[in-house]
Amino acid sequence: MQLIPAPAGVLEVDALWQQDNSNDPNTDTVALLCHPNPLFDGTMNNKVVTTMYRFARDNGMHVVRFNFRGVGQSTGEHDYADGEVVDAMTVLQWIAEQTPARKLWLGGFSFGGYVTARVAEQVLVSPHIWGLDDFEISKIALIAPSVEKNDSSDIDLPADKTFEIYGNADEVIDPDNMQEFADRLGIPVSVVDGAGHFFHGRLSELKKLLEQHTYNGDI
């Protein structure tokens, strides 16, 4: 763990570099992961985020997760997604200084899924504002994204790089709303039958779906 400078003070970051080397010549992809809502005890150590972390690590990516402002050792206060997007972009700027890897696998769960969608838009539409022109998004993984509690009506993401996974027994976010969001964007979806919001008892299945969507295209 380390603390990096950020607009709201500092952010707590957990970075895993392949071969313990951020300059590893055989690693061209870095995964950036966003955690669920801090107002409901969401942190970067959440089980779903940890599942994404292990997936990326086991598939040869550098992996970076972090705590949003006001969580853990990250300073500041919850900012209802606006500030959290800035947090993620700040971490991405830090990543750019640490490693030459420039392929980007973006993953977010719940509130973090919504933030990830907004981060992807920044990387795709206005990377020059952040000094991140050389990053290329490989995949955008939205896991039970909070698309009803946050305004997602204007989100626009590339269907060929984005996918969504949710459980049809989700008790936090209406599965119908998540499906409507995916349908509007034309992105592939995997529905885990009987799974609730936190995928209790289904994390190994979730990890397998992450792998299939990332490497096998639409499934």
Side-chain angles (χ1 to χ4, degrees):
M1 303 290 179
Q2 62 190 107
L3 301 178
I4 68 170
V10 295
L11 290 170
E12 184 180 10
V13 173
D14 174 20
L16 179 144
W17 309 114
Q18 292 290 334
Q19 310 302 321
D20 293 321
N21 178 12
S22 60
N23 295 307
D24 177 47
N26 297 314
T27 304
D28 61 2
T29 302
V30 57
L32 177 63
L33 310 178
C34 293
H35 70 71
N37 198 322
L39 298 182
F40 302 96
D41 300 322
T43 77
M44 66 176 169
N45 295 316
N46 166 271
K47 290 192 296 183
V48 173
V49 175
T50 299
T51 298
M52 288 191 284
Y53 182 92
R54 290 170 176 164
F55 153 75
R57 176 198 66 194
D58 294 349
N59 283 278
M61 304 180 202
H62 297 314
V63 197
V64 178
R65 58 183 171 180
F66 66 100
N67 277 328
F68 288 130
R69 56 186 63 193
V71 179
Q73 296 185 63
S74 296
T75 56
E77 297 180 356
H78 182 66
D79 195 33
Y80 300 93
D82 290 341
E84 285 76 10
V85 170
V86 174
D87 291 346
M89 297 305 295
T90 300
V91 174
L92 191 52
Q93 290 173 322
W94 176 82
I95 289 171
E97 297 172 352
Q98 306 303 310
T99 177
R102 286 297 180 265
K103 291 183 180 179
L104 189 59
W105 192 97
L106 294 172
F109 168 51
S110 195
F111 171 79
Y114 176 79
V115 172
T116 291
R118 293 297 186 191
V119 167
E121 288 184 319
Q122 292 294 318
V123 175
L124 290 164
V125 177
S126 51
H128 54 283
I129 293 176
W130 306 92
L132 298 171
D133 299 81
D134 53 348
F135 274 98
E136 175 190 354
I137 292 178
S138 59
K139 284 292 179 181
I140 305 163
L142 307 179
I143 313 304
S146 184
V147 294
E148 66 183 13
K149 301 176 188 298
N150 301 278
D151 182 12
S152 58
S153 60
D154 63 339
I155 289 177
D156 187 19
L157 298 172
D160 61 331
K161 294 185 176 183
T162 310
F163 64 90
E164 180 181 271
I165 302 172
Y166 67 85
N168 61 5
D170 196 309
E171 68 284 9
V172 176
I173 302 167
D174 187 339
D176 289 342
N177 287 338
M178 289 187 282
Q179 187 62 52
E180 289 172 7
F181 173 77
D183 289 344
R184 179 174 70 79
L185 293 179
I187 63 178
V189 177
S190 285
V191 180
V192 182
D193 188 40
H197 188 63
F198 295 96
F199 295 88
H200 293 310
R202 312 297 290 276
L203 293 172
S204 59
E205 193 173 342
L206 173 61
K207 188 180 179 188
K208 184 176 180 181
L209 288 170
L210 290 169
E211 188 163 334
Q212 290 176 343
H213 276 288
T214 299
Y215 297 109
N216 299 336
D218 297 356
I219 61 174

